[in-house]
Amino acid sequence: MIPTLTNPASALWKQLLLDYSSSSLEFYGTAVLQLIFFWGISAVYISLPYTFPTFSARHKLQKQEKQPTVSELWDCFLTVSRNQAISTFFHLGILKLDGYLGRPPSYRFDIALPSALEIIRDLAIGIFLREVLFYYTHRLFHHPKLYPLIHKPHHRFTAPVALAAQYASATEHFFANILPISIPLMVVHAHIVTFWLFLALELVETTTVHSGYDFFAGSARRHDSHHERFMVNFGTVGLLDWWHRTSDDGEPSSLKKRQ
């Protein structure tokens, strides 16, 4: 028998389905995950230089003089808040429109929670499709005619911080941040719980690779390199960078100079 999520989780899920509509569950569940896995994790990463300065300095990939100032972090916070508002109102608008038109939810709200096998399968598909959507969108935004109009703001931080994962123009935020995460599990009509797991995973990934720390086997090195050199490391998992030969060793030049 293929294992499913635990009985207490199943009981809780059934109760939530009784108490709330599918649109309310999707909207508020997604908002809570954004709060925890984007804002919460970003706050932890950004607070490290102030709460544990020695530990932070030991694990930071780039020099202190390249780190953003307090005023730059405040500007980042305001821009990201605007983008989060865009995401929230767009999501709410789609749900309201679906309800008005009588369209079924984009994700499944089955009473039975997905099996472990289904979750693993859909997460794998989601990671691959996000890689495809993000890589080509990101690379397109580096076209000389589009870069200054759309993508240049994101490269303001040559030594990125976690919050800067969503520091972008509104156009970039919609096409490079919202759609590549929303579309993949819609395609396979995944269970909403699987989507939430996928969203949490992707938010942890994007905050970590923008964090500027060498945690998780130095996963931020590749993206730090992209922020320094621009035309390398466009993707999220490296598959299409390998295929298109845009992969870099992921070691920022400032780090090499110290060695």
Side-chain angles (χ1 to χ4, degrees):
M1 178 181 292
I2 298 172
T4 57
L5 297 182
T6 61
N7 287 333
S10 297
L12 174 61
W13 177 243
K14 289 177 183 178
Q15 190 61 49
L16 288 173
L17 288 174
L18 289 173
D19 293 341
Y20 303 99
S21 67
S22 60
S23 59
S24 293
L25 285 172
E26 181 178 337
F27 180 76
Y28 290 109
T30 301
V32 168
L33 287 174
Q34 286 276 3
L35 183 63
I36 296 171
F37 292 100
F38 179 76
W39 289 104
I41 292 179
S42 292
V44 170
Y45 280 134
I46 291 174
S47 69
L48 285 178
Y50 307 99
T51 54
F52 301 99
T54 304
F55 175 82
S56 174
R58 186 164 65 247
H59 291 280
K60 265 292 183 182
L61 293 169
Q62 301 202 38
K63 295 180 180 179
Q64 178 59 36
E65 56 265 27
K66 297 192 69 176
Q67 303 305 316
T69 63
V70 173
S71 63
E72 287 174 328
L73 287 175
W74 177 245
D75 177 62
C76 183
F77 170 80
L78 294 177
T79 300
V80 171
S81 296
R82 178 207 67 191
N83 287 339
Q84 287 269 322
I86 290 172
S87 304
T88 299
F89 283 110
F90 175 74
H91 190 195
L92 184 61
I94 290 294
L95 291 173
K96 292 294 185 182
L97 182 62
D98 285 346
Y100 177 76
L101 297 177
R103 293 190 301 214
S106 299
Y107 306 103
R108 296 193 342 263
F109 285 82
D110 302 348
I111 293 178
L113 288 169
S115 68
L117 183 60
E118 179 185 331
I119 291 172
I120 293 169
R121 181 200 67 195
D122 289 350
L123 288 180
I125 293 171
I127 290 168
F128 173 73
L129 291 179
R130 192 215 171 190
E131 166 79 352
V132 172
L133 291 169
F134 183 79
Y135 179 92
Y136 291 113
T137 301
H138 189 187
R139 192 164 181 182
L140 177 65
F141 286 165
H142 273 266
H143 187 281
K145 291 185 178 180
L146 295 178
Y147 178 80
L149 298 173
I150 297 175
H151 192 48
K152 187 176 181 179
H154 184 69
H155 277 269
R156 174 182 179 181
F157 295 93
T158 55
V161 292
L163 200 61
Q166 294 186 20
Y167 183 83
S169 66
T171 302
E172 177 179 358
H173 183 62
F174 181 77
F175 286 102
N177 293 339
I178 297 175
L179 295 186
I181 288 181
S182 301
I183 290 175
L185 295 198
M186 288 182 182
V187 171
V188 297
H189 199 50
H191 197 286
I192 186 63
V193 170
T194 306
F195 168 71
W196 285 336
L197 291 171
F198 175 69
L199 176 62
L201 178 67
E202 294 302 321
L203 290 174
V204 170
E205 183 269 341
T206 193
T207 51
T208 298
V209 301
H210 283 87
S211 69
Y213 286 102
D214 62 3
F215 306 145
F216 301 105
S219 59
R221 283 195 176 94
R222 292 186 73 258
H223 202 68
D224 265 29
S225 183
H226 172 76
H227 275 254
E228 282 202 328
R229 303 175 191 177
F230 286 30
M231 299 306 292
V232 297
N233 300 342
F234 295 101
T236 56
V237 297
L239 178 63
L240 290 176
D241 282 305
W242 168 78
W243 180 259
H244 290 291
R245 298 184 179 181
T246 53
S247 185
D248 183 76
D249 63 9
E251 194 168 277
S253 57
S254 60
L255 187 64
K256 288 183 175 181
K257 289 176 184 176
R258 286 190 290 172
Q259 294 177 341

